[in-house]
């Protein structure tokens, strides 16, 4: 894993990310990567 970095997000965005967790231990990085993968796969189907 590369060195972590800090990003600025709104509290409401953080709350939504927490709601998208599959497991309680899923990190924000894992959530974001899963969402990006799904978006890419969806885009490639069009």
């Amino acid at each position: 894993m590369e060195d972590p970095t800090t990003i600025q997000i709104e509290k409401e965005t953080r709350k939504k990310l927490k709601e998208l967790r599959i497991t309680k231990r899923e990190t924000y990085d894992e959530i974001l990567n899963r969402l990006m993968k799904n978006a890419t796969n969806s885009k490639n189907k069009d």
Side-chain angles (χ1 to χ4, degrees):
M1 184 170 136
E2 293 183 32
D3 292 333
T5 187
T6 302
I7 61 171
Q8 300 281 323
I9 59 171
E10 299 289 330
K11 287 182 181 180
E12 186 63 27
T13 303
R14 183 175 180 262
K15 180 180 174 187
K16 290 176 184 178
L17 283 172
K18 283 179 112 173
E19 292 171 358
L20 291 170
R21 283 184 171 163
I22 294 174
T23 66
K24 286 187 175 187
R25 296 188 60 133
E26 188 175 27
T27 65
Y28 293 129
D29 185 67
E30 291 168 331
I31 296 167
L32 291 169
N33 279 297
R34 178 169 45 83
L35 292 172
M36 289 185 292
K37 181 179 177 182
N38 289 344
T40 302
N41 289 341
S42 177
K43 183 178 177 182
N44 290 337
K45 288 182 182 179
D46 293 339

Short mmCIF file of all heavy atoms in Angstrom, two decimals:
data_model
loop_
_atom_site.label_atom_id
_atom_site.label_comp_id
_atom_site.label_asym_id
_atom_site.label_seq_id
_atom_site.Cartn_x
_atom_site.Cartn_y
_atom_site.Cartn_z
N MET A 1 0.84 -1.18 0.00
CA MET A 1 0.00 0.00 0.00
C MET A 1 0.89 1.24 0.00
O MET A 1 1.87 1.32 0.71
CB MET A 1 -0.90 0.00 1.24
CG MET A 1 -1.87 1.12 1.28
SD MET A 1 -3.05 0.85 2.62
CE MET A 1 -3.10 2.46 3.32
N GLU A 2 0.50 2.21 -0.79
CA GLU A 2 1.24 3.46 -0.84
C GLU A 2 0.99 4.28 0.43
O GLU A 2 0.11 3.95 1.22
CB GLU A 2 0.80 4.27 -2.06
CG GLU A 2 1.20 3.62 -3.38
CD GLU A 2 0.82 4.48 -4.55
OE1 GLU A 2 0.83 5.72 -4.40
OE2 GLU A 2 0.52 3.93 -5.60
N ASP A 3 1.76 5.33 0.58
CA ASP A 3 1.55 6.21 1.73
C ASP A 3 0.16 6.82 1.66
O ASP A 3 -0.24 7.34 0.62
CB ASP A 3 2.59 7.34 1.73
CG ASP A 3 3.99 6.82 2.00
OD1 ASP A 3 4.12 5.78 2.66
OD2 ASP A 3 4.95 7.47 1.56
N PRO A 4 -0.58 6.78 2.76
CA PRO A 4 -1.91 7.38 2.75
C PRO A 4 -1.84 8.90 2.64
O PRO A 4 -0.83 9.51 2.96
CB PRO A 4 -2.50 6.97 4.10
CG PRO A 4 -1.40 6.43 4.92
CD PRO A 4 -0.24 6.15 4.02
N THR A 5 -2.92 9.48 2.16
CA THR A 5 -3.02 10.92 2.03
C THR A 5 -4.35 11.37 2.64
O THR A 5 -5.23 10.55 2.89
CB THR A 5 -2.91 11.35 0.55
OG1 THR A 5 -2.85 12.76 0.49
CG2 THR A 5 -4.08 10.85 -0.27
N THR A 6 -4.48 12.64 2.85
CA THR A 6 -5.71 13.19 3.40
C THR A 6 -6.46 13.92 2.30
O THR A 6 -5.87 14.65 1.52
CB THR A 6 -5.38 14.19 4.53
OG1 THR A 6 -4.63 13.50 5.53
CG2 THR A 6 -6.64 14.76 5.15
N ILE A 7 -7.77 13.71 2.25
CA ILE A 7 -8.61 14.45 1.31
C ILE A 7 -9.70 15.16 2.10
O ILE A 7 -10.12 14.69 3.16
CB ILE A 7 -9.24 13.54 0.23
CG1 ILE A 7 -10.14 12.47 0.85
CG2 ILE A 7 -8.15 12.91 -0.64
CD1 ILE A 7 -10.95 11.68 -0.16
N GLN A 8 -10.14 16.27 1.59
CA GLN A 8 -11.20 17.04 2.24
C GLN A 8 -12.55 16.60 1.68
O GLN A 8 -12.77 16.64 0.46
CB GLN A 8 -11.01 18.54 1.94
CG GLN A 8 -9.69 19.10 2.42
CD GLN A 8 -9.71 19.37 3.91
OE1 GLN A 8 -10.71 19.79 4.45
NE2 GLN A 8 -8.58 19.14 4.54
N ILE A 9 -13.44 16.13 2.55
CA ILE A 9 -14.80 15.80 2.14
C ILE A 9 -15.77 16.38 3.16
O ILE A 9 -15.42 16.59 4.32
CB ILE A 9 -15.02 14.27 1.99
CG1 ILE A 9 -14.75 13.53 3.29
CG2 ILE A 9 -14.18 13.70 0.87
CD1 ILE A 9 -15.14 12.07 3.27
N GLU A 10 -16.96 16.63 2.71
CA GLU A 10 -18.00 17.16 3.60
C GLU A 10 -18.45 16.06 4.57
O GLU A 10 -18.33 14.86 4.26
CB GLU A 10 -19.21 17.62 2.77
CG GLU A 10 -18.90 18.73 1.79
CD GLU A 10 -18.63 20.05 2.47
OE1 GLU A 10 -19.21 20.30 3.55
OE2 GLU A 10 -17.85 20.85 1.92
N LYS A 11 -18.97 16.46 5.70
CA LYS A 11 -19.45 15.49 6.70
C LYS A 11 -20.55 14.61 6.13
O LYS A 11 -20.62 13.42 6.41
CB LYS A 11 -19.94 16.21 7.96
CG LYS A 11 -18.80 16.78 8.78
CD LYS A 11 -19.30 17.44 10.04
CE LYS A 11 -18.11 18.00 10.80
NZ LYS A 11 -18.51 18.66 12.05
N GLU A 12 -21.40 15.20 5.29
CA GLU A 12 -22.49 14.44 4.69
C GLU A 12 -21.93 13.37 3.73
O GLU A 12 -22.45 12.26 3.67
CB GLU A 12 -23.44 15.37 3.93
CG GLU A 12 -24.68 14.69 3.40
CD GLU A 12 -25.59 14.09 4.47
OE1 GLU A 12 -25.60 14.59 5.62
OE2 GLU A 12 -26.28 13.11 4.16
N THR A 13 -20.87 13.69 3.01
CA THR A 13 -20.22 12.72 2.12
C THR A 13 -19.64 11.58 2.93
O THR A 13 -19.79 10.40 2.56
CB THR A 13 -19.11 13.41 1.30
OG1 THR A 13 -19.67 14.50 0.57
CG2 THR A 13 -18.44 12.43 0.34
N ARG A 14 -19.01 11.89 4.03
CA ARG A 14 -18.44 10.86 4.91
C ARG A 14 -19.54 9.94 5.44
O ARG A 14 -19.40 8.72 5.46
CB ARG A 14 -17.69 11.50 6.07
CG ARG A 14 -17.02 10.51 6.98
CD ARG A 14 -16.18 11.25 8.03
NE ARG A 14 -15.55 10.31 8.92
CZ ARG A 14 -16.01 9.98 10.13
NH1 ARG A 14 -17.12 10.54 10.59
NH2 ARG A 14 -15.38 9.12 10.88
N LYS A 15 -20.65 10.53 5.81
CA LYS A 15 -21.79 9.75 6.30
C LYS A 15 -22.29 8.80 5.22
O LYS A 15 -22.56 7.62 5.48
CB LYS A 15 -22.92 10.70 6.73
CG LYS A 15 -24.14 10.01 7.26
CD LYS A 15 -25.20 11.02 7.66
CE LYS A 15 -26.48 10.31 8.04
NZ LYS A 15 -27.58 11.24 8.27
N LYS A 16 -22.39 9.28 3.98
CA LYS A 16 -22.84 8.44 2.88
C LYS A 16 -21.86 7.31 2.60
O LYS A 16 -22.25 6.18 2.32
CB LYS A 16 -23.06 9.28 1.62
CG LYS A 16 -24.26 10.20 1.72
CD LYS A 16 -24.37 11.07 0.48
CE LYS A 16 -25.50 12.07 0.62
NZ LYS A 16 -25.59 12.96 -0.54
N LEU A 17 -20.55 7.61 2.69
CA LEU A 17 -19.55 6.57 2.49
C LEU A 17 -19.69 5.48 3.55
O LEU A 17 -19.60 4.29 3.24
CB LEU A 17 -18.13 7.16 2.52
CG LEU A 17 -17.67 7.90 1.28
CD1 LEU A 17 -16.35 8.60 1.54
CD2 LEU A 17 -17.56 6.95 0.10
N LYS A 18 -19.91 5.89 4.79
CA LYS A 18 -20.08 4.91 5.87
C LYS A 18 -21.28 4.01 5.60
O LYS A 18 -21.24 2.81 5.88
CB LYS A 18 -20.26 5.62 7.21
CG LYS A 18 -18.99 6.16 7.80
CD LYS A 18 -19.25 6.87 9.11
CE LYS A 18 -18.64 6.09 10.23
NZ LYS A 18 -18.71 6.79 11.52
N GLU A 19 -22.34 4.58 5.03
CA GLU A 19 -23.54 3.80 4.72
C GLU A 19 -23.31 2.79 3.60
O GLU A 19 -24.03 1.80 3.49
CB GLU A 19 -24.69 4.73 4.36
CG GLU A 19 -25.17 5.57 5.52
CD GLU A 19 -26.17 6.65 5.13
OE1 GLU A 19 -26.48 6.78 3.93
OE2 GLU A 19 -26.62 7.38 6.04
N LEU A 20 -22.30 3.04 2.77
CA LEU A 20 -22.00 2.16 1.64
C LEU A 20 -21.07 1.01 2.01
O LEU A 20 -20.77 0.17 1.17
CB LEU A 20 -21.37 2.96 0.49
CG LEU A 20 -22.31 3.93 -0.21
CD1 LEU A 20 -21.53 4.82 -1.15
CD2 LEU A 20 -23.39 3.16 -0.96
N ARG A 21 -20.63 0.97 3.25
CA ARG A 21 -19.73 -0.11 3.69
C ARG A 21 -20.43 -1.46 3.58
O ARG A 21 -21.59 -1.61 3.94
CB ARG A 21 -19.32 0.09 5.15
CG ARG A 21 -18.27 1.13 5.34
CD ARG A 21 -17.87 1.18 6.79
NE ARG A 21 -16.69 2.03 6.94
CZ ARG A 21 -16.30 2.54 8.08
NH1 ARG A 21 -16.98 2.30 9.19
NH2 ARG A 21 -15.24 3.30 8.14
N ILE A 22 -19.67 -2.45 3.08
CA ILE A 22 -20.17 -3.81 3.03
C ILE A 22 -19.94 -4.47 4.39
O ILE A 22 -20.77 -5.22 4.88
CB ILE A 22 -19.49 -4.61 1.90
CG1 ILE A 22 -19.90 -4.03 0.54
CG2 ILE A 22 -19.84 -6.09 1.98
CD1 ILE A 22 -19.18 -4.64 -0.64
N THR A 23 -18.79 -4.18 4.99
CA THR A 23 -18.46 -4.67 6.33
C THR A 23 -18.02 -3.47 7.17
O THR A 23 -17.61 -2.44 6.63
CB THR A 23 -17.32 -5.70 6.30
OG1 THR A 23 -16.12 -5.06 5.88
CG2 THR A 23 -17.62 -6.86 5.38
N LYS A 24 -18.07 -3.61 8.48
CA LYS A 24 -17.66 -2.51 9.36
C LYS A 24 -16.18 -2.20 9.22
O LYS A 24 -15.75 -1.09 9.51
CB LYS A 24 -17.98 -2.86 10.81
CG LYS A 24 -19.44 -2.78 11.13
CD LYS A 24 -19.68 -2.95 12.62
CE LYS A 24 -21.15 -2.75 12.94
NZ LYS A 24 -21.39 -2.75 14.37
N ARG A 25 -15.40 -3.17 8.78
CA ARG A 25 -13.95 -2.98 8.68
C ARG A 25 -13.51 -2.45 7.31
O ARG A 25 -12.34 -2.21 7.09
CB ARG A 25 -13.22 -4.28 8.99
CG ARG A 25 -13.46 -4.72 10.43
CD ARG A 25 -12.60 -5.88 10.78
NE ARG A 25 -11.21 -5.48 10.62
CZ ARG A 25 -10.25 -5.71 11.49
NH1 ARG A 25 -10.54 -6.36 12.58
NH2 ARG A 25 -9.03 -5.34 11.26
N GLU A 26 -14.45 -2.29 6.38
CA GLU A 26 -14.11 -1.79 5.05
C GLU A 26 -13.65 -0.33 5.17
O GLU A 26 -14.31 0.48 5.79
CB GLU A 26 -15.31 -1.89 4.11
CG GLU A 26 -14.97 -1.57 2.67
CD GLU A 26 -16.12 -1.79 1.72
OE1 GLU A 26 -17.29 -1.70 2.14
OE2 GLU A 26 -15.84 -2.04 0.55
N THR A 27 -12.50 -0.04 4.59
CA THR A 27 -11.95 1.31 4.68
C THR A 27 -12.58 2.21 3.62
O THR A 27 -13.18 1.73 2.64
CB THR A 27 -10.42 1.29 4.45
OG1 THR A 27 -10.17 0.88 3.10
CG2 THR A 27 -9.72 0.37 5.43
N TYR A 28 -12.42 3.52 3.81
CA TYR A 28 -12.92 4.46 2.82
C TYR A 28 -12.23 4.23 1.48
O TYR A 28 -12.84 4.32 0.42
CB TYR A 28 -12.73 5.90 3.27
CG TYR A 28 -13.58 6.25 4.48
CD1 TYR A 28 -13.03 6.85 5.59
CD2 TYR A 28 -14.94 5.99 4.50
CE1 TYR A 28 -13.79 7.17 6.70
CE2 TYR A 28 -15.72 6.29 5.60
CZ TYR A 28 -15.14 6.88 6.70
OH TYR A 28 -15.91 7.19 7.78
N ASP A 29 -10.94 3.89 1.52
CA ASP A 29 -10.20 3.61 0.30
C ASP A 29 -10.82 2.43 -0.44
O ASP A 29 -11.00 2.48 -1.66
CB ASP A 29 -8.73 3.33 0.62
CG ASP A 29 -7.90 3.16 -0.63
OD1 ASP A 29 -7.74 4.15 -1.38
OD2 ASP A 29 -7.41 2.04 -0.87
N GLU A 30 -11.16 1.39 0.29
CA GLU A 30 -11.78 0.22 -0.33
C GLU A 30 -13.15 0.56 -0.90
O GLU A 30 -13.50 0.10 -2.00
CB GLU A 30 -11.89 -0.91 0.69
CG GLU A 30 -10.55 -1.49 1.08
CD GLU A 30 -10.61 -2.41 2.28
OE1 GLU A 30 -11.50 -2.24 3.15
OE2 GLU A 30 -9.76 -3.31 2.36
N ILE A 31 -13.92 1.35 -0.19
CA ILE A 31 -15.24 1.76 -0.67
C ILE A 31 -15.10 2.55 -1.96
O ILE A 31 -15.78 2.28 -2.95
CB ILE A 31 -15.98 2.60 0.39
CG1 ILE A 31 -16.26 1.79 1.64
CG2 ILE A 31 -17.29 3.15 -0.18
CD1 ILE A 31 -16.70 2.62 2.84
N LEU A 32 -14.21 3.53 -1.95
CA LEU A 32 -14.03 4.38 -3.13
C LEU A 32 -13.54 3.57 -4.33
O LEU A 32 -14.02 3.77 -5.46
CB LEU A 32 -13.07 5.53 -2.82
CG LEU A 32 -13.61 6.57 -1.85
CD1 LEU A 32 -12.50 7.51 -1.39
CD2 LEU A 32 -14.75 7.35 -2.48
N ASN A 33 -12.60 2.65 -4.10
CA ASN A 33 -12.11 1.82 -5.20
C ASN A 33 -13.21 0.91 -5.75
O ASN A 33 -13.31 0.72 -6.97
CB ASN A 33 -10.89 1.01 -4.76
CG ASN A 33 -9.63 1.82 -4.82
OD1 ASN A 33 -9.22 2.26 -5.89
ND2 ASN A 33 -9.02 2.04 -3.68
N ARG A 34 -14.05 0.37 -4.87
CA ARG A 34 -15.17 -0.46 -5.32
C ARG A 34 -16.14 0.35 -6.17
O ARG A 34 -16.59 -0.09 -7.24
CB ARG A 34 -15.88 -1.07 -4.10
CG ARG A 34 -17.08 -1.92 -4.46
CD ARG A 34 -17.60 -2.72 -3.27
NE ARG A 34 -17.71 -2.00 -2.02
CZ ARG A 34 -18.75 -1.23 -1.68
NH1 ARG A 34 -19.75 -1.04 -2.51
NH2 ARG A 34 -18.78 -0.64 -0.49
N LEU A 35 -16.45 1.57 -5.71
CA LEU A 35 -17.37 2.43 -6.45
C LEU A 35 -16.79 2.81 -7.82
O LEU A 35 -17.51 2.82 -8.83
CB LEU A 35 -17.67 3.69 -5.64
CG LEU A 35 -18.49 3.48 -4.37
CD1 LEU A 35 -18.56 4.78 -3.57
CD2 LEU A 35 -19.87 2.97 -4.70
N MET A 36 -15.50 3.12 -7.85
CA MET A 36 -14.86 3.47 -9.13
C MET A 36 -14.84 2.28 -10.09
O MET A 36 -15.08 2.44 -11.29
CB MET A 36 -13.44 4.00 -8.89
CG MET A 36 -13.43 5.37 -8.24
SD MET A 36 -11.79 6.09 -8.07
CE MET A 36 -11.04 5.03 -6.86
N LYS A 37 -14.59 1.09 -9.55
CA LYS A 37 -14.60 -0.10 -10.38
C LYS A 37 -15.99 -0.34 -10.96
O LYS A 37 -16.14 -0.63 -12.15
CB LYS A 37 -14.14 -1.31 -9.56
CG LYS A 37 -14.09 -2.60 -10.35
CD LYS A 37 -13.62 -3.75 -9.49
CE LYS A 37 -13.64 -5.05 -10.28
NZ LYS A 37 -13.25 -6.19 -9.45
N ASN A 38 -17.01 -0.21 -10.12
CA ASN A 38 -18.39 -0.39 -10.58
C ASN A 38 -18.76 0.65 -11.63
O ASN A 38 -19.43 0.33 -12.62
CB ASN A 38 -19.36 -0.31 -9.41
CG ASN A 38 -19.28 -1.52 -8.50
OD1 ASN A 38 -18.73 -2.55 -8.86
ND2 ASN A 38 -19.80 -1.39 -7.30
N ALA A 39 -18.32 1.89 -11.43
CA ALA A 39 -18.63 2.96 -12.39
C ALA A 39 -17.94 2.68 -13.72
O ALA A 39 -18.53 2.88 -14.79
CB ALA A 39 -18.19 4.30 -11.84
N THR A 40 -16.71 2.21 -13.67
CA THR A 40 -15.97 1.89 -14.89
C THR A 40 -16.62 0.72 -15.62
O THR A 40 -16.79 0.76 -16.84
CB THR A 40 -14.50 1.55 -14.55
OG1 THR A 40 -13.91 2.66 -13.89
CG2 THR A 40 -13.69 1.23 -15.79
N ASN A 41 -17.00 -0.31 -14.87
CA ASN A 41 -17.65 -1.46 -15.49
C ASN A 41 -18.98 -1.06 -16.12
O ASN A 41 -19.31 -1.52 -17.21
CB ASN A 41 -17.89 -2.57 -14.46
CG ASN A 41 -16.61 -3.25 -14.04
OD1 ASN A 41 -15.59 -3.16 -14.71
ND2 ASN A 41 -16.65 -3.94 -12.91
N SER A 42 -19.72 -0.21 -15.46
CA SER A 42 -21.00 0.26 -15.98
C SER A 42 -20.79 1.09 -17.24
O SER A 42 -21.53 0.96 -18.21
CB SER A 42 -21.72 1.10 -14.91
OG SER A 42 -22.91 1.60 -15.42
N LYS A 43 -19.79 1.93 -17.24
CA LYS A 43 -19.49 2.78 -18.39
C LYS A 43 -19.09 1.94 -19.59
O LYS A 43 -19.47 2.23 -20.72
CB LYS A 43 -18.37 3.76 -18.03
CG LYS A 43 -18.04 4.74 -19.12
CD LYS A 43 -16.95 5.70 -18.68
CE LYS A 43 -16.58 6.63 -19.80
NZ LYS A 43 -15.49 7.53 -19.42
N ASN A 44 -18.33 0.87 -19.36
CA ASN A 44 -17.87 0.02 -20.44
C ASN A 44 -18.99 -0.82 -21.05
O ASN A 44 -18.87 -1.30 -22.17
CB ASN A 44 -16.74 -0.91 -19.96
CG ASN A 44 -15.46 -0.15 -19.70
OD1 ASN A 44 -15.24 0.93 -20.23
ND2 ASN A 44 -14.59 -0.71 -18.87
N LYS A 45 -20.10 -1.00 -20.33
CA LYS A 45 -21.24 -1.75 -20.85
C LYS A 45 -22.04 -0.94 -21.84
O LYS A 45 -22.77 -1.50 -22.65
CB LYS A 45 -22.13 -2.21 -19.70
CG LYS A 45 -21.55 -3.32 -18.87
CD LYS A 45 -22.50 -3.74 -17.79
CE LYS A 45 -21.89 -4.83 -16.93
NZ LYS A 45 -22.81 -5.25 -15.85
N ASP A 46 -21.94 0.38 -21.77
CA ASP A 46 -22.72 1.26 -22.66
C ASP A 46 -22.21 1.26 -24.07
O ASP A 46 -21.22 1.01 -24.49
CB ASP A 46 -22.73 2.69 -22.13
CG ASP A 46 -23.49 2.79 -20.80
OD1 ASP A 46 -24.30 1.91 -20.53
OD2 ASP A 46 -23.26 3.76 -20.07
#
